[in-house]
């Protein structure tokens, strides 16, 4: 009996201990949900692709959308319009502003496996320069003023004829593969089959293309962070109404653009999440400054004070606009927040007109001066939204004694038949900016007034030397401070002169099903910029254990992979912020033996500890563990305190080539190599560290 009591006591203690242990684990460890790879996102687009080629896509939104996913440029613009490296890693500008030397990434391959090089850049620019180029004429004309030369396999040089600060903005255009197209005559490129099944360097590649849709798959060779989404399918519809109907029938998960007319219905669908962002451009009323009434600044200012622009935005646009105060976009480095906005003030408008001699002596509701009525036509595009805006503006002007009549014109004829020949009194127009640079030279410089021999876009006919000088200064210098000051002067002068009536900056609305996570919308240059952070979008999730005593695991960027031998550089990424925290160096004076790395998840077999190396060195070893998420190879100078990433991949390597290291770019001396491996729970291996001496 006593023996049984002891057994019961031991069992009781064991159960108690186990319960306490399980309670502790439950308290200290929890399961958290994390994004997982996989899934297909389907989006509906109004329109159809025509030429999926970055040098021809400017006229077609569907082409632009696909190009944004398939191709990469030398540079890209972030949400603030600031240029960042993409296929380029860095660039230098000569003191006179005429010579741009661009260094290219060494780890980029085309979707078909061929390496990217300076030859591809050279081919693309030559295609733009060719007289047979069938894209935007102004784009071809610009590139024909630039000389381009190949310095070596990973360096390209551009020579300008005069300083032009916005030049780098032109390098965002997608690059074409020379190895596939070099034998295609430029005149035949526009109709070439390549434009239906393109090969690029972007995060997705085309696997199927039909008249009704195109299917894209995540690029396993992509040099950047590999997307969580496995596939993206873009379906094409004849109009926006059809796209909206396709979402309600669950045929698509995204609506490329939700127009203001569909917003009430869209807001009523709980599962449809709406994302809003300013899209580049501005809506305005051009005033023809050759007309006598509009030559008086007081009249122009009165017309602007009389417009309740917020009411236009709230009612006619369903809130899809932001009050405009400058031709330069807000939230960009060149914007002047101090520029006056001209609030709705009809009494001030009346006072300005009275002071300018425009009165209503016979009380018929229309002001006149020298027996000439203040009356004119307001031309507007013939779409319902723009006509509604124009009619509301005319109604508000009538309240201050200005008689205006709305004259509809087909949108397709507005520029060619109305604006360019300047056959108008006033025109309601939405200007779409197609450049990340704030340059406004072509729109408002005095030399850009359209004429039979000039295709400038200063449609109002503004002539002002002070304003023109500010624009000249801003495009002549690469000094950021001087450019900012020049644009500040331009904006202040523009606000004072009021050569046109700025109304609002348009807002783009994107509809995506709530199942698609991490969609973010920042200010857009074009609608295709909605895919700017598509690498972070996800449909699938996984649950992983997370200890309260440990830091929360974060996603490790993936997408890089072991390449065939040709990785000549390790120090050519000056702008992007490092993705990993600096790693503490090993204890000074310690010399790891090869055996120290032998049993680690990552080990470096070659070069051996304390080896003398020079030139391009192949680093060999292994990087593998269960549930591998990524491994990274880093280096540092002996006196440095942090490591610089040399290579990163999500693919395991077993006793093979990890990377090539071009040591000629580094000063001679002692360096440390470090290899680290991580799994999908956030665990990071003990790093393998090897000391070497560079002696070139």
């Amino acid at each position: 009996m006593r023996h049984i009591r002891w057994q019961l006591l031991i069992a009781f203690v064991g159960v108690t201990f186990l319960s306490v242990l399980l309670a502790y684990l439950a308290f200290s460890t929890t399961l958290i949900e994390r994004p997982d790879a996989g899934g297909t996102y389907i989006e509906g687009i109004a329109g159809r692709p025509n030429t999926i080629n970055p040098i021809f896509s400017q006229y077609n939104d569907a082409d632009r959308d696909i190009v944004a996913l398939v191709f990469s440029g030398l540079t890209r613009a972030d949400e603030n319009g600031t240029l960042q490296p993409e296929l380029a890693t860095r660039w230098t500008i000569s003191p006179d502003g005429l010579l741009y030397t661009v260094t290219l990434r060494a780890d980029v391959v085309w979707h078909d496996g061929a390496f990217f090089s300076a030859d591809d850049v050279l081919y693309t620019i030559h295609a733009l320069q060719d007289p047979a180029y069938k894209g935007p004429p102004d784009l071809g004309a610009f590139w024909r003023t630039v000389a381009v030369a190949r310095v070596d396999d990973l360096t390209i040089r551009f020579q300008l004829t005069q300083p032009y600060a916005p030049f780098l903005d032109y390098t965002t255009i997608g690059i074409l593969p020379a190895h596939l197209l070099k034998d295609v005559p430029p005149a035949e490129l526009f109709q070439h089959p390549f434009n239906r099944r393109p090969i690029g360097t972007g995060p997705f590649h085309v696997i199927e293309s039909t008249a009704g849709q195109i299917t894209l798959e995540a690029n396993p060779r992509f040099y950047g962070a590999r997307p969580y989404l496995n596939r993206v399918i873009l379906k094409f519809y004849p109009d926006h109404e059809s796209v909206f109907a396709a979402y309600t029938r669950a045929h698509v998960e995204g609506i490329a653009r939700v127009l203001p007319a569909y917003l009430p219905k869209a807001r009523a669908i709980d599962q449809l999440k709406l994302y809003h962002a300013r899209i580049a451009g501005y809506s305005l009323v051009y005033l023809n400054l050759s007309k006598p009434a509009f030559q008086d600044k007081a009249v122009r200012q009165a017309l602007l004070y009389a417009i309740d622009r917020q009411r236009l935005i709230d009612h006619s646009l369903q809130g899809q606009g932001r009050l405009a105060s400058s031709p330069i976009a807000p939230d960009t480095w060149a914007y002047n927040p101090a520029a006056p906005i001209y609030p709705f003030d009809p009494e001030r408008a009346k006072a300005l007109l009275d002071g300018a001699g425009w009165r209503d002596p016979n009380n018929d509701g229309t002001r006149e001066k020298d027996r000439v009525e203040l009356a004119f036509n307001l031309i507007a595009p013939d779409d319902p939204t723009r006509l509604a805006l124009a009619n509301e503006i005319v109604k508000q002007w009538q309240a201050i004694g200005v008689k205006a009549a709305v004259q509809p014109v087909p949108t397709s004829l507005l520029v060619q038949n109305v604006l360019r020949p300047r056959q108008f009194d006033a025109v309601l127009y939405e200007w779409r900016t197609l450049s990340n640079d704030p340059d406004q030279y072509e729109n408002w410089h005095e030399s850009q007034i359209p004429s039979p021999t000039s295709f400038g876009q200063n449609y109002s006919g503004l002539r002002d030397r002070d304003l023109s000088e500010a624009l000249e200064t801003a495009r002549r210098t690469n000094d950021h401070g001087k450019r900012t000051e020049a644009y500040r002067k331009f904006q202040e002068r523009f606000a004072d002169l009021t050569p046109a009536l700025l109304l609002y900056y348009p807002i783009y609305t994107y509809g995506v099903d709530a199942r698609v996570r991490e969609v973010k919308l920042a200010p857009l240059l074009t609608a295709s910029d909605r895919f700017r952070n598509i690498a972070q979008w996800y449909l699938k999730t996984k649950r992983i254990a997370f200890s309260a005593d440990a830091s929360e695991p974060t996603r490790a960027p993936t997408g890089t992979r072991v390449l065939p031998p040709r990785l000549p550089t390790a120090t050519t990424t000056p702008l992007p912020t490092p993705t990993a925290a600096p790693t503490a160096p090993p204890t000074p004076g310690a010399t790891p033996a090869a055996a120290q790395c032998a049993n680690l998840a990552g080990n470096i077999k070659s070069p051996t500890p304390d080896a003398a190396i020079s030139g391009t060195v192949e680093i060999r070893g292994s990087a593998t563990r269960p549930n591998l998420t990524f491994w990274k190879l880093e280096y540092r100078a002996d006196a440095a305190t942090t490591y610089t990433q040399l290579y990163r991949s999500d693919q395991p390597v077993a006793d093979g080539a990890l990377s090539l290291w071009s040591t000629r770019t580094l000063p001679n001396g002692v360096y440390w190599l470090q290899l680290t491996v991580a799994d999908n729970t956030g665990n990071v291996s003990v790093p393998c560290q090897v000391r070497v001496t560079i002696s070139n």
Side-chain angles (χ1 to χ4, degrees):
M1 181 68 69
R2 183 179 299 175
H3 180 69
I4 294 174
R5 285 200 299 270
W6 273 108
Q7 287 180 330
L8 291 173
L9 179 61
I10 292 171
F12 174 76
V13 171
V15 170
T16 302
F17 174 77
L18 183 60
S19 299
V20 171
L21 177 62
L22 291 174
Y24 170 77
L25 291 174
F27 176 77
S28 61
T29 304
T30 186
L31 291 177
I32 59 174
E33 193 174 73
R34 282 284 174 261
D36 198 7
T40 298
Y41 169 66
I42 306 173
E43 180 170 302
I45 295 175
R48 297 184 185 279
N50 180 42
T51 307
I52 309 171
N53 185 316
I55 72 172
F56 299 121
S57 63
Q58 291 78 7
Y59 296 136
N60 186 306
D61 285 343
D63 288 340
R64 278 182 176 275
D65 290 345
I66 302 168
V67 163
L69 298 170
V70 172
F71 291 92
S72 310
L74 295 178
T75 61
R76 61 177 174 82
D78 63 20
E79 59 272 16
N80 297 314
T82 303
L83 291 180
Q84 303 291 347
E86 188 63 27
L87 294 177
T89 63
R90 63 185 177 194
W91 50 83
T92 59
I93 307 172
S94 62
D96 60 6
L98 298 179
L99 197 64
Y100 289 72
T101 303
V102 180
T103 303
L104 308 178
R105 292 184 68 122
D107 59 346
V108 179
V109 294
W110 294 94
H111 293 159
D112 62 0
F115 270 106
F116 163 77
S117 75
D119 292 331
D120 302 306
V121 182
L122 198 65
Y123 170 81
T124 303
I125 304 307
H126 284 167
L128 289 161
Q129 294 173 332
D130 195 280
Y133 172 59
K134 296 182 179 179
D138 55 340
L139 185 59
F142 168 78
W143 277 111
R144 283 189 281 274
T145 68
V146 179
V148 57
R150 179 188 188 278
V151 178
D152 57 40
D153 200 39
L154 293 174
T155 312
I156 201 85
R157 185 169 291 153
F158 301 100
Q159 177 80 48
L160 278 59
T161 56
Q162 59 184 347
Y164 183 55
F167 168 71
L168 283 173
D169 188 62
Y170 286 84
T171 63
T172 59
I173 195 165
I175 301 300
L176 295 169
H179 69 284
L180 296 177
L181 298 172
K182 61 184 178 181
D183 296 326
V184 179
E188 298 177 12
L189 185 57
F190 186 77
Q191 299 292 343
H192 197 269
F194 173 87
N195 302 328
R196 294 188 293 275
R197 289 292 298 269
I199 299 294
T201 56
F204 289 88
H205 65 103
V206 178
I207 63 171
E208 185 181 15
S209 179
T210 67
Q213 68 179 48
I214 190 166
T215 303
L216 309 172
E217 192 167 77
N219 174 14
R221 300 183 176 95
F222 187 52
Y223 53 86
R226 186 174 178 181
Y228 287 117
L229 296 172
N230 184 45
R231 288 188 175 184
V232 172
I233 297 176
L234 302 179
K235 291 189 174 184
F236 310 117
Y237 295 89
D239 49 46
H240 292 278
E241 183 177 357
S242 301
V243 177
F244 197 87
Y247 176 80
T248 61
R249 293 194 297 267
H251 291 175
V252 299
E253 296 162 310
I255 302 174
R257 185 165 195 177
V258 181
L259 296 179
Y262 295 97
L263 278 172
K265 291 181 180 179
R267 289 169 179 149
I269 303 175
D270 292 336
Q271 187 65 14
L272 181 63
K273 295 189 67 174
L274 299 178
Y275 301 86
H276 310 278
R278 178 184 56 78
I279 190 166
Y282 47 89
S283 180
L284 76 169
V285 174
Y286 278 116
L287 301 175
N288 190 334
L289 301 185
S290 66
K291 303 295 181 180
F294 297 148
Q295 291 175 359
D296 189 338
K297 179 175 71 174
V299 173
R300 302 194 299 267
Q301 291 178 342
L303 291 175
L304 186 52
Y305 276 122
I307 302 174
D308 188 347
R309 294 177 292 164
Q310 193 59 55
R311 177 180 173 82
L312 297 179
I313 293 169
D314 293 342
H315 293 272
S316 299
L317 299 176
Q318 292 288 319
Q320 302 305 285
R322 175 177 170 182
L323 286 178
S325 61
S326 167
I328 293 177
D331 311 316
T332 62
W333 61 267
Y335 177 70
N336 182 5
I341 293 182
Y342 285 85
F344 175 53
D345 191 342
E347 295 307 314
R348 188 168 183 178
K350 293 175 184 177
L352 282 169
L353 292 176
D354 287 340
W358 293 94
R359 295 182 173 85
D360 184 9
N362 54 10
N363 293 318
D364 65 352
T366 301
R367 293 175 181 267
E368 59 184 61
K369 181 179 179 180
D370 299 330
R371 298 185 178 181
V372 176
E373 287 187 330
L374 186 51
F376 55 88
N377 288 328
L378 174 61
I379 295 175
D382 60 357
D383 71 85
T385 300
R386 299 299 176 270
L387 287 177
L389 283 170
N391 283 312
E392 180 61 28
I393 291 170
V394 165
K395 181 179 177 182
Q396 293 175 7
W397 281 340
Q398 186 178 3
I400 63 166
V402 175
K403 183 196 295 185
V406 175
Q407 181 181 343
V409 169
T411 303
S412 60
L413 302 178
L414 202 56
V415 173
Q416 192 67 32
N417 291 12
V418 177
L419 289 171
R420 189 162 288 163
R422 301 187 66 225
Q423 297 296 316
F424 65 89
D425 298 327
V427 178
L428 175 64
Y429 189 70
E430 185 166 301
W431 180 259
R432 293 299 307 276
T433 303
L434 296 179
S435 172
N436 291 292
D437 193 271
D439 183 37
Q440 292 286 316
Y441 184 93
E442 293 181 352
N443 296 4
W444 303 108
H445 191 273
E446 60 191 1
S447 68
Q448 299 300 301
I449 299 173
S451 70
T453 59
S454 170
F455 290 96
Q457 296 163 339
N458 182 356
Y459 297 129
S460 285
L462 173 64
R463 297 181 187 273
D464 184 77
R465 184 86 287 265
D466 291 339
L467 184 144
S468 293
E469 284 182 358
L471 292 175
E472 292 165 9
T473 300
R475 63 165 27 193
R476 273 198 311 259
T477 178
N478 285 299
D479 185 294
H480 185 76
K482 291 180 180 178
R483 292 197 81 197
T484 302
E485 176 62 18
Y487 283 128
R488 182 189 65 78
K489 291 179 180 178
F490 160 72
Q491 290 169 90
E492 290 175 354
R493 187 67 177 157
F494 185 95
D496 177 57
L497 294 173
T498 322
L501 314 180
L502 298 178
L503 300 177
Y504 59 85
Y505 306 111
I507 297 296
Y508 179 91
T509 299
Y510 186 31
V512 182
D513 194 88
R515 291 173 295 172
V516 185
R517 314 273 196 91
E518 207 57 30
V519 177
K520 294 179 180 178
L521 221 57
L524 314 173
L525 178 65
T526 66
S528 60
D529 284 338
R530 67 188 184 275
F531 297 130
R532 187 184 282 133
N533 80 317
I534 195 169
Q536 282 75 52
W537 299 8
Y538 65 93
L539 282 162
K540 293 189 174 183
T541 60
K542 58 186 175 183
R543 299 178 70 83
I544 63 174
F546 169 57
S547 172
D549 298 327
S551 60
E552 184 175 344
T554 58
R555 180 195 179 194
T558 61
T560 49
R561 66 279 165 225
V562 178
L563 297 173
R566 184 220 175 201
L567 282 177
T569 181
T571 59
T572 54
T573 312
L575 292 182
T577 303
T579 55
T583 307
T587 305
T591 305
Q596 178 181 336
C597 296
N599 297 319
L600 298 179
N603 66 77
I604 299 172
K605 292 186 176 181
S606 173
T608 57
D610 292 320
I613 60 175
S614 63
T616 300
V617 179
E618 183 180 58
I619 302 172
R620 298 186 63 84
S622 298
T624 181
R625 67 182 299 171
N627 302 315
L628 172 74
T629 295
F630 74 93
W631 58 265
K632 62 180 178 178
L633 188 63
E634 303 168 294
Y635 72 90
R636 70 172 181 86
D638 189 51
T641 59
T642 59
Y643 280 88
T644 297
Q645 184 169 293
L646 176 61
Y647 196 68
R648 187 182 186 117
S649 178
D650 61 352
Q651 300 299 314
V653 176
D655 195 15
L658 296 170
S659 180
L660 295 180
W661 189 19
S662 178
T663 65
R664 290 191 181 91
T665 61
L666 301 171
N668 289 339
V670 176
Y671 288 80
W672 290 86
L673 282 168
Q674 175 171 279
L675 177 62
T676 310
V677 184
D679 65 21
N680 61 9
T681 65
N683 293 322
V684 179
S685 69
V686 175
C688 171
Q689 297 164 336
V690 173
R691 186 173 64 186
V692 296
T693 300
I694 293 178
S695 181
N696 286 306

